[in-house]
Amino acid sequence: MSADRLYIGTRRYSSWSLRGWLAVRLARLNVEEICIPLAGGTTAAVRAVSPGGTVPYLEHAGNRVWDSIAIAEYCAEQAPGLWPDNPAGRAHARVISAEMHAGFRELRMAMPMSLFRPGAAGTCRNDGVLADVARIEAIWAETRERFGASGPYLFGATFNLADAMYAPVVARFLTYAPDLSAASRAYCDAVRHSPLVAQWYDDAAAEPTDWFIARYETAP
Ligand SMILES: N[C@@H](CCC(=O)N[C@@H](CS)C(=O)NCC(=O)O)C(=O)O
């Protein structure tokens, strides 16, 4: 068995894990996948393995990478083509990914990722959330207008690392259903049905019920 590993947290809830997992799968790294059930606060089993005390955490070829955007960059070095080929597209993909990584705090706090949360549609809106949603829609619209003509993803026909970074936002939008433009809804639909994201949802649906965190499985 490979000594290389990707540690992730409960798929239903772990938005950062989804990003890291997508990057690793896009790069086709041969790693053992270890899913740690999250406690909903600090998880002792995560602290025990990850230098940063968080998931995703990648151990690969002797390298240890414990942050999702660093995992994305690591994967891009392993498998060229995960960022756009042209410098302008690459710069734009990186800056919108960095904005996602560092920002949208109101959205993250009010709409925690919970893939199958019942009764969530139409809830959890406040002024801060709506401002974040508007900014995200503006990013998607500008990116698709400049770079996305060849297909349904941010940079066209190929699901790349920028889509991976925004996949948990898509998941939140699908759960909490804020009002979105038709173009944003189409993008969310494309991401949800992309093969890797569809696999993540399927794997999440198969997780044991004793991993559930009650506050994320009941209506907000
Ligand atoms: N900046 C980190 C944040 C990762 C993070 O906060 N992950 C959460 C799970 S989604 C975590 O591990 N929390 C600690 C815990 O649940 O014990 C990254 O991008 O990977």
Side-chain angles (χ1 to χ4, degrees):
M1 180 182 290
S2 164
D4 297 333
R5 298 186 184 92
L6 175 68
Y7 293 91
I8 58 173
T10 314
R11 295 174 188 81
R12 310 167 74 86
Y13 313 128
S14 188
S15 55
W16 304 97
S17 295
L18 171 55
R19 291 187 188 116
W21 180 86
L22 285 169
V24 165
R25 293 299 301 270
L26 286 170
R28 299 176 189 274
L29 299 191
N30 179 22
V31 295
E32 182 188 358
E33 198 174 302
I34 299 169
C35 187
I36 299 176
L38 297 182
T42 300
T43 308
V46 170
R47 291 210 154 201
V49 294
S50 169
T54 58
V55 281
Y57 168 47
L58 175 67
E59 294 175 343
H60 184 258
N63 300 299
R64 302 188 303 154
V65 194
W66 56 84
D67 179 90
S68 57
I69 206 155
I71 291 172
E73 290 291 0
Y74 180 84
C75 290
E77 288 185 3
Q78 300 293 315
L82 301 190
W83 290 124
D85 288 338
N86 63 315
R90 207 158 51 245
H92 190 73
R94 282 196 164 111
V95 75
I96 66 172
S97 297
E99 186 170 345
M100 173 68 250
H101 195 62
F104 309 127
R105 189 169 181 281
E106 303 277 355
L107 178 84
R108 291 176 199 205
M109 299 299 288
M111 297 181 169
M113 192 173 101
S114 178
L115 298 186
F116 309 110
R117 188 172 188 173
T123 69
C124 298
R125 299 172 190 185
N126 61 46
D127 288 350
V129 168
L130 295 181
D132 281 351
V133 170
R135 174 64 191 144
I136 290 163
E137 288 203 273
I139 289 170
W140 289 355
E142 183 200 347
T143 306
R144 287 210 18 85
E145 186 182 328
R146 286 179 63 193
F147 302 104
S150 66
Y153 302 118
L154 290 174
F155 289 82
T158 304
F159 184 106
N160 73 12
L161 288 172
D163 299 296
M165 291 298 128
Y166 279 88
V169 171
V170 168
R172 288 174 161 96
F173 285 178
L174 293 173
T175 296
Y176 296 95
D179 296 330
L180 297 176
S181 69
S184 293
R185 289 199 305 274
Y187 174 66
C188 289
D189 192 53
V191 169
R192 171 64 182 87
H193 294 102
S194 61
L196 289 176
V197 173
Q199 185 189 332
W200 180 270
Y201 268 78
D202 288 348
D203 292 347
E207 286 175 338
T209 53
D210 60 5
W211 289 11
F212 287 11
I213 297 173
R215 68 177 182 276
Y216 298 143
E217 297 296 339
T218 47

